[in-house]
Amino acid sequence: MEIADVARTVMERCDVLAGYSEEHGRLTRRFASHPMKEVNRLVETWMRQAGMATRQDHAGNIIGRYEGQGSSEKVFLLGSHLDTVRDAGKYDGVLGVLVALAGIELLHDRRERLPFALEIIGFADEEGLRYHYPFLGSKALTGSLEKSILYLTDEQGIPLIEAIRHFGGKPEALIFHCSEQKRYDDWLGYCEVHIEQGPVLEAKGLPVGVVTAITGLSRCKLVFEGEANHAGTQPMALRRDALCAAAEFVLAVERYAGTVEGLVATVGQLQVSPGAINVIPGRVSLSLDVRHQVDAIRREADQKLFEEAIQICTRRGIQVAREEMQETPTIPCTPWLMQLLEQAIDQVGGMPCALPSGAGHDAMIMSRCTDIAMLFVRCLGGISHHPAESVCIEDVAQAIRVMERFFLLLKQHVL
Ligand SMILES: [Zn+2]
Protein backbone atom coordinates (compact mmCIF):
# COMPACT_ATOMS: atom_id res chain seq x y z
CA MET A 1 0.00 0.00 0.00
CA GLU A 2 1.40 3.38 -1.05
CA ILE A 3 0.90 6.37 1.26
CA ALA A 4 -0.20 8.49 -1.71
CA ASP A 5 -3.03 6.03 -2.46
CA VAL A 6 -4.10 5.88 1.18
CA ALA A 7 -4.13 9.70 1.31
CA ARG A 8 -6.24 9.83 -1.85
CA THR A 9 -8.71 7.45 -0.23
CA VAL A 10 -8.91 9.72 2.85
CA MET A 11 -9.64 12.74 0.62
CA GLU A 12 -12.30 10.79 -1.32
CA ARG A 13 -13.91 9.62 1.90
CA CYS A 14 -14.06 13.19 3.23
CA ASP A 15 -15.91 14.08 0.02
CA VAL A 16 -18.28 11.14 0.42
CA LEU A 17 -19.11 11.94 4.06
CA ALA A 18 -19.73 15.59 3.13
CA GLY A 19 -22.66 14.32 1.07
CA TYR A 20 -24.51 13.18 4.19
CA SER A 21 -26.30 16.30 5.33
CA GLU A 22 -29.61 17.30 6.86
CA GLU A 23 -29.82 20.34 4.61
CA HIS A 24 -29.90 20.55 0.86
CA GLY A 25 -26.91 22.30 -0.66
CA ARG A 26 -24.92 22.67 2.54
CA LEU A 27 -23.34 20.38 5.12
CA THR A 28 -25.11 20.19 8.48
CA ARG A 29 -24.95 16.94 10.42
CA ARG A 30 -26.32 17.04 13.94
CA PHE A 31 -26.29 14.45 16.68
CA ALA A 32 -28.47 11.36 16.12
CA SER A 33 -29.77 12.61 12.77
CA HIS A 34 -30.49 10.32 9.82
CA PRO A 35 -27.33 11.38 7.93
CA MET A 36 -25.33 10.73 11.11
CA LYS A 37 -26.69 7.19 11.15
CA GLU A 38 -25.61 6.68 7.54
CA VAL A 39 -22.17 8.12 8.25
CA ASN A 40 -21.73 5.76 11.20
CA ARG A 41 -22.65 2.78 8.98
CA LEU A 42 -20.20 3.87 6.31
CA VAL A 43 -17.33 4.49 8.74
CA GLU A 44 -18.13 1.15 10.35
CA THR A 45 -17.79 -0.58 6.96
CA TRP A 46 -14.41 1.06 6.37
CA MET A 47 -13.27 0.09 9.87
CA ARG A 48 -14.20 -3.56 9.22
CA GLN A 49 -12.30 -3.50 5.93
CA ALA A 50 -9.25 -2.46 7.97
CA GLY A 51 -9.57 -5.56 10.15
CA MET A 52 -11.36 -3.86 13.04
CA ALA A 53 -14.26 -5.08 15.16
CA THR A 54 -16.91 -2.38 15.50
CA ARG A 55 -19.57 -1.31 17.96
CA GLN A 56 -21.78 1.70 18.54
CA ASP A 57 -22.08 2.81 22.16
CA HIS A 58 -25.18 4.16 23.88
CA ALA A 59 -24.31 7.75 23.01
CA GLY A 60 -24.03 6.88 19.31
CA ASN A 61 -20.23 6.98 19.15
CA ILE A 62 -18.95 4.56 16.53
CA ILE A 63 -15.93 2.62 17.76
CA GLY A 64 -13.55 0.35 15.84
CA ARG A 65 -11.08 -1.91 17.60
CA TYR A 66 -7.90 -3.30 16.05
CA GLU A 67 -6.80 -6.07 18.36
CA GLY A 68 -3.24 -6.26 19.62
CA GLN A 69 -1.15 -9.37 19.89
CA GLY A 70 -1.58 -11.68 22.82
CA SER A 71 -4.08 -11.06 25.53
CA SER A 72 -3.16 -7.50 26.47
CA GLU A 73 -6.14 -5.51 27.72
CA LYS A 74 -4.33 -2.25 27.05
CA VAL A 75 -5.69 0.02 24.39
CA PHE A 76 -4.50 3.22 22.74
CA LEU A 77 -7.33 5.49 21.61
CA LEU A 78 -7.59 7.60 18.47
CA GLY A 79 -10.41 9.61 17.01
CA SER A 80 -12.32 12.81 16.51
CA HIS A 81 -15.94 13.76 15.81
CA LEU A 82 -18.32 12.97 12.95
CA ASP A 83 -20.95 15.66 13.59
CA THR A 84 -20.62 19.14 12.11
CA VAL A 85 -21.63 22.74 12.67
CA ARG A 86 -24.29 24.34 10.42
CA ASP A 87 -23.01 24.98 6.88
CA ALA A 88 -19.77 23.19 7.71
CA GLY A 89 -16.63 22.29 5.82
CA LYS A 90 -15.63 18.73 4.93
CA TYR A 91 -12.68 18.21 7.23
CA ASP A 92 -13.33 19.43 10.79
CA GLY A 93 -13.60 16.23 12.84
CA VAL A 94 -13.99 13.80 9.95
CA LEU A 95 -10.34 14.11 8.89
CA GLY A 96 -9.12 12.98 12.33
CA VAL A 97 -11.18 9.80 12.20
CA LEU A 98 -10.12 8.99 8.65
CA VAL A 99 -6.38 9.68 9.12
CA ALA A 100 -6.36 7.39 12.18
CA LEU A 101 -8.16 4.77 10.11
CA ALA A 102 -5.61 5.16 7.32
CA GLY A 103 -2.82 4.47 9.82
CA ILE A 104 -4.53 1.26 10.91
CA GLU A 105 -5.14 0.22 7.28
CA LEU A 106 -1.36 0.36 6.77
CA LEU A 107 -0.83 -1.91 9.80
CA HIS A 108 -3.55 -4.27 8.62
CA ASP A 109 -2.06 -4.40 5.14
CA ARG A 110 1.23 -5.59 6.64
CA ARG A 111 -0.65 -7.97 8.99
CA GLU A 112 1.09 -6.16 11.82
CA ARG A 113 -0.23 -6.26 15.37
CA LEU A 114 0.95 -4.04 18.22
CA PRO A 115 1.39 -5.22 21.81
CA PHE A 116 -1.84 -3.37 22.64
CA ALA A 117 -5.14 -2.75 20.88
CA LEU A 118 -5.94 0.42 18.94
CA GLU A 119 -9.41 1.88 19.02
CA ILE A 120 -10.78 4.65 16.82
CA ILE A 121 -13.74 6.60 18.14
CA GLY A 122 -15.95 8.59 15.79
CA PHE A 123 -17.61 10.85 18.35
CA ALA A 124 -21.32 11.38 17.75
CA ASP A 125 -21.47 14.97 18.98
CA GLU A 126 -18.69 17.42 19.63
CA GLU A 127 -20.06 20.64 18.19
CA GLY A 128 -23.25 20.53 20.27
CA LEU A 129 -25.37 21.97 17.45
CA ARG A 130 -28.58 20.05 18.18
CA TYR A 131 -28.79 20.34 21.97
CA HIS A 132 -26.37 23.21 22.57
CA TYR A 133 -24.37 20.76 24.62
CA PRO A 134 -20.89 20.30 23.16
CA PHE A 135 -18.67 17.21 23.70
CA LEU A 136 -21.64 14.91 24.30
CA GLY A 137 -19.82 11.94 22.69
CA SER A 138 -16.57 12.23 24.62
CA LYS A 139 -18.37 13.09 27.86
CA ALA A 140 -20.45 9.91 27.49
CA LEU A 141 -17.33 7.86 26.78
CA THR A 142 -15.54 9.22 29.83
CA GLY A 143 -18.61 8.95 32.08
CA SER A 144 -18.75 12.68 32.69
CA LEU A 145 -22.25 13.52 31.47
CA GLU A 146 -24.63 15.37 33.74
CA LYS A 147 -27.95 13.57 34.16
CA SER A 148 -30.04 16.70 33.62
CA ILE A 149 -28.98 16.88 29.96
CA LEU A 150 -31.31 14.00 29.05
CA TYR A 151 -34.21 16.42 29.17
CA LEU A 152 -32.71 19.10 26.96
CA THR A 153 -34.84 19.58 23.87
CA ASP A 154 -33.90 20.41 20.29
CA GLU A 155 -35.60 22.95 17.97
CA GLN A 156 -38.41 20.47 17.26
CA GLY A 157 -38.97 19.86 20.97
CA ILE A 158 -37.49 16.34 20.87
CA PRO A 159 -35.81 15.55 24.20
CA LEU A 160 -32.26 14.20 24.11
CA ILE A 161 -33.39 11.02 25.83
CA GLU A 162 -35.68 10.30 22.85
CA ALA A 163 -32.97 11.08 20.32
CA ILE A 164 -30.62 8.64 22.05
CA ARG A 165 -33.28 5.89 21.98
CA HIS A 166 -34.10 6.61 18.37
CA PHE A 167 -30.40 6.27 17.53
CA GLY A 168 -30.29 2.81 19.12
CA GLY A 169 -28.84 3.72 22.53
CA LYS A 170 -30.16 2.98 25.98
CA PRO A 171 -30.13 6.20 28.01
CA GLU A 172 -30.28 4.19 31.24
CA ALA A 173 -27.00 2.52 30.29
CA LEU A 174 -25.12 5.83 29.99
CA ILE A 175 -22.74 6.51 32.82
CA PHE A 176 -23.45 9.77 34.55
CA HIS A 177 -20.96 11.18 36.79
CA CYS A 178 -19.51 14.35 37.80
CA SER A 179 -16.58 16.60 37.45
CA GLU A 180 -14.38 14.14 39.29
CA GLN A 181 -11.55 12.62 37.28
CA LYS A 182 -11.32 8.90 36.83
CA ARG A 183 -8.30 7.31 35.21
CA TYR A 184 -8.90 4.21 33.13
CA ASP A 185 -6.06 1.79 33.76
CA ASP A 186 -6.40 0.02 30.41
CA TRP A 187 -6.14 3.24 28.43
CA LEU A 188 -2.59 4.05 27.33
CA GLY A 189 -3.58 7.43 25.94
CA TYR A 190 -5.54 9.29 23.29
CA CYS A 191 -4.32 11.00 20.13
CA GLU A 192 -6.52 13.23 17.96
CA VAL A 193 -5.68 14.47 14.49
CA HIS A 194 -7.54 17.67 13.56
CA ILE A 195 -7.30 20.53 11.10
CA GLU A 196 -5.52 23.45 12.72
CA GLN A 197 -8.39 25.97 12.33
CA GLY A 198 -5.79 28.70 12.48
CA PRO A 199 -3.02 30.24 10.34
CA VAL A 200 0.17 29.19 12.17
CA LEU A 201 1.19 26.13 10.12
CA GLU A 202 0.43 27.91 6.86
CA ALA A 203 2.56 30.88 7.92
CA LYS A 204 5.43 28.53 8.80
CA GLY A 205 5.05 26.52 5.60
CA LEU A 206 4.58 23.27 7.52
CA PRO A 207 2.06 20.48 6.84
CA VAL A 208 1.59 19.30 10.44
CA GLY A 209 2.24 20.44 14.00
CA VAL A 210 2.12 19.06 17.52
CA VAL A 211 -0.35 20.70 19.90
CA THR A 212 1.14 21.82 23.21
CA ALA A 213 -2.10 22.65 25.00
CA ILE A 214 -5.74 23.46 24.50
CA THR A 215 -5.94 27.09 25.49
CA GLY A 216 -8.02 28.12 28.49
CA LEU A 217 -10.40 31.04 28.50
CA SER A 218 -12.16 33.59 30.71
CA ARG A 219 -15.53 34.99 29.74
CA CYS A 220 -17.42 37.75 31.47
CA LYS A 221 -20.09 40.33 30.86
CA LEU A 222 -19.47 44.00 31.61
CA VAL A 223 -22.36 46.38 32.11
CA PHE A 224 -21.72 50.11 31.61
CA GLU A 225 -24.34 52.28 33.27
CA GLY A 226 -24.55 55.95 32.27
CA GLU A 227 -27.52 58.22 31.71
CA ALA A 228 -29.94 58.14 28.82
CA ASN A 229 -31.03 61.58 27.68
CA HIS A 230 -32.23 63.58 24.70
CA ALA A 231 -29.74 63.56 21.81
CA GLY A 232 -30.75 67.08 20.83
CA THR A 233 -30.94 68.95 24.10
CA GLN A 234 -28.15 67.52 26.24
CA PRO A 235 -24.82 69.39 25.66
CA MET A 236 -21.74 67.24 25.07
CA ALA A 237 -19.98 68.31 28.27
CA LEU A 238 -22.87 67.14 30.44
CA ARG A 239 -23.36 63.70 28.94
CA ARG A 240 -22.73 60.32 30.58
CA ASP A 241 -22.75 58.22 27.43
CA ALA A 242 -22.39 54.52 28.26
CA LEU A 243 -21.59 53.59 24.66
CA CYS A 244 -18.70 56.06 24.43
CA ALA A 245 -17.20 54.45 27.55
CA ALA A 246 -17.76 50.97 26.12
CA ALA A 247 -16.23 52.00 22.80
CA GLU A 248 -13.14 53.31 24.58
CA PHE A 249 -12.95 50.01 26.44
CA VAL A 250 -13.24 47.91 23.25
CA LEU A 251 -10.22 49.72 21.79
CA ALA A 252 -8.33 49.38 25.08
CA VAL A 253 -8.89 45.60 24.90
CA GLU A 254 -7.48 45.49 21.38
CA ARG A 255 -4.48 47.60 22.37
CA TYR A 256 -3.67 45.61 25.51
CA ALA A 257 -3.99 42.18 23.85
CA GLY A 258 -1.60 43.37 21.14
CA THR A 259 1.12 43.97 23.73
CA VAL A 260 1.09 40.48 25.31
CA GLU A 261 2.55 37.62 23.24
CA GLY A 262 -0.02 34.90 22.60
CA LEU A 263 -2.91 36.75 24.23
CA VAL A 264 -6.19 37.10 22.37
CA ALA A 265 -9.10 39.15 23.71
CA THR A 266 -12.40 39.80 22.00
CA VAL A 267 -15.53 41.85 22.58
CA GLY A 268 -18.02 39.91 20.48
CA GLN A 269 -21.39 41.07 21.79
CA LEU A 270 -22.67 44.54 22.50
CA GLN A 271 -26.17 45.54 23.59
CA VAL A 272 -27.00 49.20 23.59
CA SER A 273 -30.06 50.55 25.34
CA PRO A 274 -32.39 52.17 24.86
CA GLY A 275 -30.94 51.86 21.34
CA ALA A 276 -32.80 54.77 19.75
CA ILE A 277 -31.45 57.19 17.15
CA ASN A 278 -32.32 60.24 19.23
CA VAL A 279 -31.34 59.02 22.70
CA ILE A 280 -27.90 59.06 24.34
CA PRO A 281 -27.07 55.43 25.24
CA GLY A 282 -27.73 54.96 28.95
CA ARG A 283 -26.67 51.36 29.30
CA VAL A 284 -24.33 49.03 27.41
CA SER A 285 -23.68 45.41 28.14
CA LEU A 286 -20.79 43.68 26.41
CA SER A 287 -19.04 40.31 26.42
CA LEU A 288 -15.31 39.87 26.95
CA ASP A 289 -13.52 36.67 25.93
CA VAL A 290 -9.84 36.40 26.98
CA ARG A 291 -7.54 33.47 26.09
CA HIS A 292 -3.92 32.56 26.73
CA GLN A 293 -2.08 29.29 26.95
CA VAL A 294 -0.73 30.23 30.38
CA ASP A 295 -3.54 30.50 32.91
CA ALA A 296 -1.70 33.04 35.08
CA ILE A 297 -1.16 35.39 32.11
CA ARG A 298 -4.82 35.03 31.11
CA ARG A 299 -6.05 35.81 34.64
CA GLU A 300 -3.73 38.79 34.92
CA ALA A 301 -4.92 40.12 31.57
CA ASP A 302 -8.53 39.66 32.58
CA GLN A 303 -7.91 41.56 35.81
CA LYS A 304 -5.96 44.38 34.09
CA LEU A 305 -8.70 44.83 31.51
CA PHE A 306 -11.32 45.19 34.20
CA GLU A 307 -9.16 47.77 36.00
CA GLU A 308 -8.88 49.63 32.71
CA ALA A 309 -12.68 49.59 32.37
CA ILE A 310 -12.97 51.09 35.87
CA GLN A 311 -10.50 53.86 34.98
CA ILE A 312 -12.33 54.72 31.76
CA CYS A 313 -15.64 54.77 33.58
CA THR A 314 -14.40 56.84 36.52
CA ARG A 315 -13.18 59.48 34.09
CA ARG A 316 -16.54 59.54 32.33
CA GLY A 317 -18.84 59.32 35.35
CA ILE A 318 -20.11 55.88 34.38
CA GLN A 319 -20.73 52.85 36.61
CA VAL A 320 -19.34 49.50 35.52
CA ALA A 321 -20.24 46.05 36.87
CA ARG A 322 -18.78 42.68 36.03
CA GLU A 323 -20.59 39.35 35.79
CA GLU A 324 -18.54 36.13 35.50
CA MET A 325 -19.67 33.77 32.73
CA GLN A 326 -17.10 31.02 32.29
CA GLU A 327 -13.57 30.09 33.20
CA THR A 328 -11.85 27.10 31.63
CA PRO A 329 -8.24 26.35 32.49
CA THR A 330 -5.68 25.44 29.83
CA ILE A 331 -5.45 21.70 29.25
CA PRO A 332 -1.82 20.78 28.55
CA CYS A 333 -1.07 17.88 26.22
CA THR A 334 0.94 15.06 27.78
CA PRO A 335 4.72 15.52 27.34
CA TRP A 336 5.62 11.89 26.54
CA LEU A 337 3.02 11.68 23.79
CA MET A 338 4.01 15.08 22.39
CA GLN A 339 7.61 13.89 22.25
CA LEU A 340 6.60 10.74 20.36
CA LEU A 341 4.70 12.83 17.81
CA GLU A 342 7.66 15.18 17.42
CA GLN A 343 10.02 12.24 16.92
CA ALA A 344 7.61 10.73 14.42
CA ILE A 345 7.55 14.00 12.42
CA ASP A 346 11.35 14.18 12.54
CA GLN A 347 11.75 10.55 11.43
CA VAL A 348 9.53 10.99 8.39
CA GLY A 349 11.64 13.96 7.29
CA GLY A 350 9.43 16.75 8.60
CA MET A 351 10.19 19.67 10.83
CA PRO A 352 8.63 19.36 14.29
CA CYS A 353 6.56 22.40 15.20
CA ALA A 354 4.70 22.97 18.45
CA LEU A 355 1.63 25.18 18.67
CA PRO A 356 -1.31 25.69 21.02
CA SER A 357 -4.93 25.04 20.07
CA GLY A 358 -7.21 28.04 20.40
CA ALA A 359 -10.33 25.89 19.89
CA GLY A 360 -11.78 23.18 22.12
CA HIS A 361 -11.57 19.50 21.14
CA ASP A 362 -12.67 16.06 22.37
CA ALA A 363 -9.08 15.59 23.58
CA MET A 364 -9.91 18.12 26.33
CA ILE A 365 -12.59 15.82 27.72
CA MET A 366 -10.46 12.71 27.22
CA SER A 367 -7.70 14.34 29.30
CA ARG A 368 -9.86 13.77 32.39
CA CYS A 369 -9.26 10.04 32.01
CA THR A 370 -6.02 9.51 30.11
CA ASP A 371 -2.91 11.08 28.58
CA ILE A 372 -3.61 13.11 25.45
CA ALA A 373 -1.89 14.38 22.31
CA MET A 374 -3.05 16.19 19.17
CA LEU A 375 -1.62 16.48 15.69
CA PHE A 376 -2.74 19.50 13.69
CA VAL A 377 -2.93 19.47 9.90
CA ARG A 378 -2.50 22.74 8.00
CA CYS A 379 -5.72 24.12 6.51
CA LEU A 380 -6.01 26.73 3.79
CA GLY A 381 -6.15 30.27 5.19
CA GLY A 382 -6.80 28.86 8.66
CA ILE A 383 -10.48 28.70 7.67
CA SER A 384 -12.84 26.31 9.48
CA HIS A 385 -16.54 25.98 10.32
CA HIS A 386 -17.15 27.14 6.77
CA PRO A 387 -17.66 25.41 3.40
CA ALA A 388 -14.35 26.90 2.22
CA GLU A 389 -12.46 24.65 4.67
CA SER A 390 -9.65 23.01 2.68
CA VAL A 391 -6.67 20.72 3.21
CA CYS A 392 -4.25 19.43 0.58
CA ILE A 393 -3.57 15.78 -0.15
CA GLU A 394 0.19 16.09 0.45
CA ASP A 395 -0.44 17.34 3.99
CA VAL A 396 -2.87 14.49 4.61
CA ALA A 397 -0.22 12.05 3.33
CA GLN A 398 2.28 13.56 5.76
CA ALA A 399 -0.20 13.21 8.65
CA ILE A 400 -0.66 9.53 7.75
CA ARG A 401 3.13 9.02 7.65
CA VAL A 402 3.40 10.60 11.09
CA MET A 403 0.56 8.42 12.40
CA GLU A 404 2.23 5.26 11.08
CA ARG A 405 5.57 6.20 12.65
CA PHE A 406 3.83 7.25 15.87
CA PHE A 407 2.36 3.71 16.21
CA LEU A 408 5.85 2.26 15.88
CA LEU A 409 7.31 4.62 18.51
CA LEU A 410 4.37 3.92 20.77
CA LYS A 411 5.10 0.21 20.49
CA GLN A 412 8.75 0.77 21.45
CA HIS A 413 7.69 3.02 24.30
CA VAL A 414 5.22 0.54 25.72
CA LEU A 415 7.48 -2.52 25.41
ZN1 LIG B 1 -13.63 19.74 15.37
Side-chain angles (χ1 to χ4, degrees):
M1 248 178 177
E2 294 293 322
I3 298 273
D5 297 332
V6 182
R8 193 170 313 110
T9 303
V10 168
M11 297 300 277
E12 285 165 6
R13 286 174 172 174
C14 288
D15 289 341
V16 169
L17 294 188
Y20 291 89
S21 172
E22 291 175 74
E23 293 184 291
H24 190 67
R26 60 181 192 170
L27 174 55
T28 303
R29 197 164 55 236
R30 297 175 308 158
F31 173 67
S33 59
H34 186 66
M36 178 58 91
K37 187 167 258 177
E38 291 177 303
V39 160
N40 272 7
R41 291 295 79 80
L42 211 50
V43 170
E44 192 171 27
T45 308
W46 297 333
M47 285 171 166
R48 289 199 183 136
Q49 285 167 5
M52 307 178 88
T54 58
R55 63 186 193 274
Q56 184 174 303
D57 72 7
H58 293 290
N61 298 317
I62 188 78
I63 303 168
R65 184 178 173 97
Y66 187 73
E67 282 302 339
Q69 8 165 268
S71 55
S72 171
E73 293 289 301
K74 302 268 183 210
V75 56
F76 191 85
L77 306 170
L78 304 152
S80 195
H81 59 99
L82 294 172
D83 67 316
T84 73
V85 291
R86 181 162 282 130
D87 200 12
K90 294 180 201 171
Y91 304 102
D92 183 339
V94 165
L95 185 73
V97 175
L98 298 179
V99 166
L101 181 55
I104 292 184
E105 278 170 338
L106 292 169
L107 290 178
H108 181 61
D109 187 55
R110 295 197 302 265
R111 301 281 173 262
E112 191 177 338
R113 297 276 167 182
L114 301 178
F116 47 86
L118 289 171
E119 284 193 2
I120 300 178
I121 308 142
F123 288 110
D125 192 350
E126 187 263 0
E127 305 284 6
L129 184 61
R130 183 162 175 188
Y131 288 97
H132 305 289
Y133 182 83
F135 309 112
L136 181 105
S138 46
K139 282 190 169 178
L141 192 88
T142 52
S144 43
L145 288 174
E146 298 96 36
K147 207 158 198 170
S148 56
I149 62 136
L150 284 179
Y151 305 99
L152 294 175
T153 51
D154 69 2
E155 283 163 19
Q156 284 82 43
I158 302 168
L160 177 58
I161 187 165
E162 278 309 310
I164 288 173
R165 284 202 186 107
H166 184 73
F167 208 62
K170 289 190 184 127
E172 61 279 11
L174 289 170
I175 304 164
F176 295 97
H177 206 33
C178 48
S179 46
E180 214 175 290
Q181 295 203 350
K182 177 179 184 298
R183 303 291 290 189
Y184 289 78
D185 291 340
D186 292 343
W187 292 5
L188 293 167
Y190 170 78
C191 179
E192 179 166 355
V193 177
H194 203 281
I195 56 167
E196 182 199 340
Q197 305 181 268
V200 175
L201 292 171
E202 193 172 60
K204 293 193 173 190
L206 295 172
V208 295
V210 178
V211 176
T212 51
I214 299 165
T215 304
L217 60 85
S218 304
R219 282 178 181 162
C220 71
K221 194 165 128 181
L222 294 184
V223 180
F224 295 75
E225 203 83 52
E227 192 179 55
N229 209 330
H230 198 289
T233 59
Q234 185 73 344
M236 295 310 284
L238 298 178
R239 294 182 178 204
R240 295 199 295 122
D241 185 326
L243 182 57
C244 287
E248 201 178 326
F249 176 69
V250 172
L251 294 177
V253 169
E254 183 190 41
R255 199 166 45 242
Y256 180 82
T259 62
V260 182
E261 175 80 28
L263 183 74
V264 285
T266 309
V267 175
Q269 296 173 325
L270 201 71
Q271 277 107 33
V272 182
S273 55
I277 195 166
N278 57 352
V279 182
I280 298 160
R283 187 174 197 268
V284 170
S285 136
L286 59 79
S287 64
L288 175 64
D289 176 306
V290 180
R291 308 184 194 211
H292 195 279
Q293 214 186 334
V294 179
D295 287 336
I297 297 178
R298 168 176 53 81
R299 288 196 192 105
E300 191 194 339
D302 199 36
Q303 181 59 33
K304 284 236 166 86
L305 288 172
F306 185 50
E307 283 163 15
E308 182 118 18
I310 294 171
Q311 275 175 24
I312 292 167
C313 289
T314 308
R315 211 177 338 106
R316 290 173 166 272
I318 304 269
Q319 304 288 322
V320 61
R322 179 187 165 104
E323 221 176 275
E324 300 305 326
M325 288 168 74
Q326 188 187 347
E327 194 193 350
T328 310
T330 288
I331 309 277
C333 290
T334 314
W336 74 271
L337 284 172
M338 282 172 55
Q339 278 162 20
L340 292 193
L341 277 177
E342 276 166 6
Q343 273 176 40
I345 293 172
D346 183 55
Q347 290 181 11
V348 299
M351 175 137 73
C353 161
L355 73 168
S357 169
H361 295 287
D362 288 307
M364 237 160 70
I365 307 298
M366 297 298 283
S367 75
R368 297 174 182 176
C369 298
T370 194
D371 294 345
I372 60 154
M374 289 193 76
L375 182 75
F376 270 170
V377 179
R378 167 168 58 184
C379 59
L380 186 72
I383 296 166
S384 70
H385 286 189
H386 189 276
E389 211 170 85
S390 174
V391 295
C392 71
I393 188 166
E394 291 79 13
D395 293 0
V396 170
Q398 183 69 350
I400 297 169
R401 266 181 223 112
V402 172
M403 227 353 64
E404 190 188 22
R405 188 54 64 116
F406 175 71
F407 291 159
L408 195 75
L409 293 170
L410 204 53
K411 177 178 163 182
Q412 290 164 2
H413 185 90
V414 168
L415 280 176

